[in-house]
Amino acid sequence: MNSRLTRLAGAALAVTVSLALTACGGDDSVEPAASAAASGPFEYKDALGKDIKLDKAPTTVVAQSSVAAALWDAGFQVKGAYGELKPDAAGKLSYQAGSLDLSKVTVIGSTYGEFDTEKYALLNPQLLVDYTFDNKALWYVPAAQSEKILSLAPGLAVPGNYKTTDEAIATFVDLAGKLGADTAAATAAKTEYDSALKAVGESAKTSGLKVAIMSPGTDSLYVADPVQLPEGNTLKNQGLDVISPTNPKNEVFAQFSWEKAVEFKDADVILVDARTYDAAKADLAKVPTWANLPAVKAGQVYPWYAAAPYSYQSYAKIYTELAGELKSAKKLS
Amino acid sequence: MRPRTIGRLGVFVVTVAVLGVVVVLSLMVGRQAISPGEVIRALLPSATGDNADIVRGLRLERTVIGLVAGLALGAAGALMQALTRNPLADPGLLGVNAGAAAAVVTGFAFFGVTNGLAQTGLALAGAAVASVVVYLLGSGSRAAATPARLALAGTALTAVLFSYINAVAMKDQQSFDEMRFWVVGSVVNRGYDRLLIALPLIIIGVLLALAMTPALNALSLGDDSAHALGLGVGRARVATAVAITLLCGAATAVAGPIVFVGLTVPHVARMLVGADQRKVVPLSMLLAAGFLVFCDTLGRVVSGGAEVQAGIVTAVLGAPVFIALVRRRTLVAA
């Protein structure tokens, strides 16, 4: 349970960071129009079934970092963000923060459980946006502070789970549009996204590669169930053969004893959780049932950008990279 | 007199036999069903393939690490209960585990230390510093380090250090992932390299522990009586504390903080052989080694889904045993 939560939180972190990275590297010509809000009323039925009605589209929006990153790419610039926004030793945010530009965003909290209510109040927020994973609460809003926080501005919940990345991204583009953003850049990026996906589909069909999505830890092997993952379903729809682990509890990650790793020998390619893999790499090399997996031996282990922000821009990049990897990978069995 | 001697010798013989059975089971039982014949074949140095990876790669390493860590924790627990004359003393009491974990977490979070050797060094240093701090706090300015003062100082330091660990762990996702191991111990995939680093320290700790047992017998009579018997109370206490630090620090570096082994096992040992530390300490080592390996084996198969860490199984099994012991009779103070 604990580790699953950690992974989930990590996912959020990943989203946030990727946003920030894009922000730093990207050109300024496609600056999202944050304050060019539509003048009309704002209406949204959120994932908790709440009808949110505001007289005018809000301009001061604060969002959880992954949500903020997705909105940013969709063309809407938040004023404040909280979530996973702690830079690494090199001062960079993880890929999970996407293109978020922290010089333009007030950081309300930079890790799970951190939310500076005073700083938030001082922004005079008009709307707060966060995921909900349990259909009850906003994900990164600390329960103890939630009453106070939600009294300052209405909280809008976007769903945490989606069938496909298309559906997830569309949700954010739609929300950005309703918030008055110009979503033209996002629409343009969709072309790139679609052709990246097509490239994945082509290499999948010609190579017939079997792919497993994993988050290997030294204590256990976590195998993602593609059916529970938006990107898993999207890739499967493109004809990629993604291995489904035995997963009676229908969780995103099925947890296995390392003894069970030998049952994944048919994977030609392993996509590993980019949030945690680098740190665990050296220790994993000493786990014989990992080191002797054919895909590991063949060096066909590639990053899986778990919890990247749901935007056409970020997933176009991710799928393009994957298509290239699938093209160069060899069928092993 | 004679039958008693045989009885106590018998306890050791039976314990060793049980330990042997536990070790064999730990190689036979796991998430992957492998027949006994295949297990034996997989243990041959020439064997390769899945079974060899599982039996020789995964299970044997767990067993060896469980044996060594368990032995160290059993000895440390027995020493600690004798030293503090507190039957409820456990390796966490003197802040040793917390010190080890805090040092490793600090190294990881602020200096990016992920190397096994460096982490072990940090764990030992943290354990040592924590022991000294507890000892100084417990001794105060004028009064001697009484068991109660030591225990209080240890509890206070542990609380402070774990708050610190949690605060650091919350800071970012990566250190939290790494932290899981320092919250609940496990013997899975720890690596022989980590064990080799810790082994010399454990050996020194064990030798020191065995050498201190006569002095601990004298200490059990109280400081004044021990003093009257010609024992250098202060020196004996420091030597024992050094042994505890070595054993706990090294065991924690290898297997993480494992609870209830050091607390429960010495009580069982005293039930079996009485209060003589010369017997309690070695028997605690054997029993704890077997107990930890057994808990790890049980954790592999006890749940339908994933494995359960040895540190959780020891707590689940150890706590009720401990409560039963406490309720059954007046505890034999060490």
Side-chain angles (χ1 to χ4, degrees):
Chain A
M1 180 64 196
N2 221 343
S3 63
R4 216 170 306 126
L5 266 183
T6 311
R7 260 150 233 278
L8 211 57
L13 171 81
V15 177
T16 332
V17 182
S18 69
L19 288 172
L21 279 181
T22 322
C24 300
D27 58 344
D28 287 346
S29 56
V30 283
E31 221 20 34
S35 40
S39 48
F42 174 80
E43 268 193 65
Y44 198 89
K45 190 164 171 77
D46 84 344
L48 300 177
K50 209 165 35 168
D51 273 311
I52 294 164
K53 283 184 192 156
L54 299 170
D55 296 339
K56 264 170 59 182
T59 51
T60 310
V61 176
V62 173
Q64 193 272 344
S65 49
S66 318
V67 171
L71 287 174
W72 194 283
D73 277 356
F76 184 82
Q77 210 168 310
V78 297
K79 290 279 164 65
Y82 59 96
E84 301 296 342
L85 290 169
K86 199 182 158 236
D88 66 10
K92 279 192 167 180
L93 293 177
S94 124
Y95 68 88
Q96 297 170 99
S99 344
L100 266 192
D101 182 352
L102 288 193
S103 69
K104 294 178 181 148
V105 174
T106 305
V107 176
I108 308 285
S110 58
T111 187
Y112 189 81
E114 202 179 288
F115 195 109
D116 189 333
T117 315
E118 259 177 55
K119 227 170 166 183
Y120 177 64
L122 286 174
L123 279 177
N124 291 317
Q126 293 166 310
L127 185 70
L128 180 130
V129 191
D130 200 334
Y131 282 122
T132 180
F133 280 96
D134 56 3
N135 292 323
K136 275 180 248 153
L138 296 170
W139 190 27
Y140 263 64
V141 173
Q145 290 159 255
S146 77
E147 202 179 321
K148 178 95 183 75
I149 291 167
L150 294 177
S151 72
L152 293 167
L156 187 156
V158 283
N161 301 311
Y162 302 89
K163 275 254 160 343
T164 61
T165 49
D166 300 69
E167 184 192 308
I169 296 167
T171 304
F172 286 100
V173 174
D174 169 64
L175 177 57
K178 287 193 170 123
L179 288 168
D182 175 6
T183 55
T187 319
K190 187 174 190 317
T191 326
E192 225 180 296
Y193 168 91
D194 287 337
S195 66
L197 260 187
K198 228 176 99 194
V200 170
E202 276 158 17
S203 8
K205 265 164 229 152
T206 49
S207 63
L209 292 169
K210 246 184 192 309
V211 177
I213 305 175
M214 295 178 170
S215 184
T218 42
D219 57 336
S220 305
L221 174 64
Y222 298 83
V223 182
D225 187 346
V227 182
Q228 307 289 336
L229 273 183
E231 57 270 55
N233 283 317
T234 305
L235 293 171
K236 274 169 85 91
N237 290 345
Q238 290 301 316
L240 187 66
D241 186 359
V242 187
I243 294 173
S244 285
T246 325
N247 186 16
K249 287 191 227 157
N250 288 323
E251 290 161 331
V252 175
F253 286 102
Q255 190 183 352
F256 293 96
S257 155
W258 271 110
E259 296 191 4
K260 286 283 186 188
V262 297
E263 290 170 14
F264 295 94
K265 285 190 131 175
D266 52 344
D268 302 300
V269 166
I270 297 175
L271 301 180
V272 287
D273 196 329
R275 293 167 292 169
T276 50
Y277 182 66
D278 282 344
K281 207 173 167 182
D283 283 332
L284 286 171
K286 289 182 269 176
V287 178
T289 48
W290 169 258
N292 283 335
L293 283 173
V296 176
K297 272 203 209 152
Q300 298 187 159
V301 174
Y302 307 113
W304 158 49
Y305 297 99
Y310 288 125
S311 77
Y312 291 122
Q313 290 91 325
S314 88
Y315 272 91
K317 240 195 273 176
I318 290 167
Y319 290 145
T320 304
E321 188 179 318
L322 180 62
E325 286 153 359
L326 294 176
K327 221 169 163 185
S328 61
K330 307 251 173 324
K331 183 93 186 141
L332 300 173
S333 49
Chain B
M1 197 64 194
R2 275 213 79 159
R4 260 186 92 104
T5 313
I6 292 168
R8 285 182 179 173
L9 196 68
V11 167
F12 277 91
V13 171
V14 170
T15 304
V16 171
V18 169
L19 188 59
V21 172
V22 167
V23 166
V24 170
L25 268 180
S26 75
L27 296 173
M28 296 287 175
V29 178
R31 258 279 128 74
Q32 206 65 268
I34 302 174
S35 73
E38 283 170 329
V39 168
I40 291 163
R41 263 194 296 282
L43 282 169
L44 299 175
S46 57
T48 53
D50 292 353
N51 286 349
D53 283 348
I54 291 170
V55 176
R56 220 176 52 222
L58 297 174
R59 292 184 191 170
L60 186 62
E61 187 193 282
R62 291 170 80 149
T63 304
V64 170
I65 286 181
L67 284 174
V68 174
L71 184 142
L73 289 170
L79 289 184
M80 214 171 278
Q81 288 172 17
L83 177 70
T84 59
R85 290 198 295 269
N86 181 346
L88 301 182
D90 83 301
L93 185 78
L94 293 192
V96 184
N97 282 352
V104 174
V105 168
T106 304
F108 181 84
F110 298 112
F111 305 101
V113 177
T114 52
N115 168 287
L117 179 71
Q119 286 195 340
T120 307
L122 281 174
L124 286 167
V129 170
S131 305
V132 171
V133 169
V134 167
Y135 192 81
L136 291 178
L137 282 176
S139 320
S141 49
R142 279 169 296 159
T146 63
R149 288 177 64 110
L150 267 185
L152 277 175
T155 310
L157 187 72
T158 302
V160 169
L161 288 175
F162 270 110
S163 315
Y164 164 76
I165 291 167
N166 282 328
V168 174
M170 284 298 287
K171 279 244 173 256
D172 72 299
Q173 143 80 13
Q174 226 186 19
S175 75
F176 192 73
D177 248 17
E178 181 80 355
M179 266 294 298
R180 254 184 305 153
F181 173 76
W182 298 102
V183 175
V184 179
S186 154
V187 297
V188 180
N189 289 327
R190 297 303 299 156
Y192 288 119
D193 46 353
R194 276 198 184 83
L195 182 66
L196 280 179
I197 295 161
L199 202 56
L201 302 153
I202 291 178
I203 290 170
I204 295 169
V206 165
L207 293 177
L208 194 54
L210 294 175
M212 289 318 293
T213 50
L216 289 173
N217 277 341
L219 264 183
S220 71
L221 303 170
D223 286 6
D224 293 340
S225 309
H227 200 72
L229 284 171
L231 183 74
V233 172
R235 208 177 308 151
R237 193 167 273 150
V238 169
T240 309
V242 168
I244 292 169
T245 305
L246 286 173
L247 291 166
C248 269
T252 305
V254 171
I258 303 258
V259 290
F260 279 109
V261 175
L263 186 60
T264 309
V265 166
H267 288 282
V268 178
R270 280 194 293 275
M271 272 172 59
L272 294 172
V273 293
D276 184 349
Q277 297 299 335
R278 288 170 304 177
K279 299 191 179 77
V280 170
V281 172
L283 186 62
S284 292
M285 292 184 199
L286 293 176
L287 286 172
F291 181 57
L292 186 52
V293 172
F294 174 74
C295 286
D296 178 48
T297 310
L298 194 64
R300 293 176 209 172
V301 290
V302 76
S303 83
E307 294 186 353
V308 178
Q309 292 109 305
I312 291 177
V313 182
T314 59
V316 169
L317 290 186
V321 169
F322 184 69
I323 292 167
L325 283 169
V326 173
R327 290 187 60 92
R328 214 182 113 218
R329 57 188 204 146
T330 317
L331 290 164
V332 182

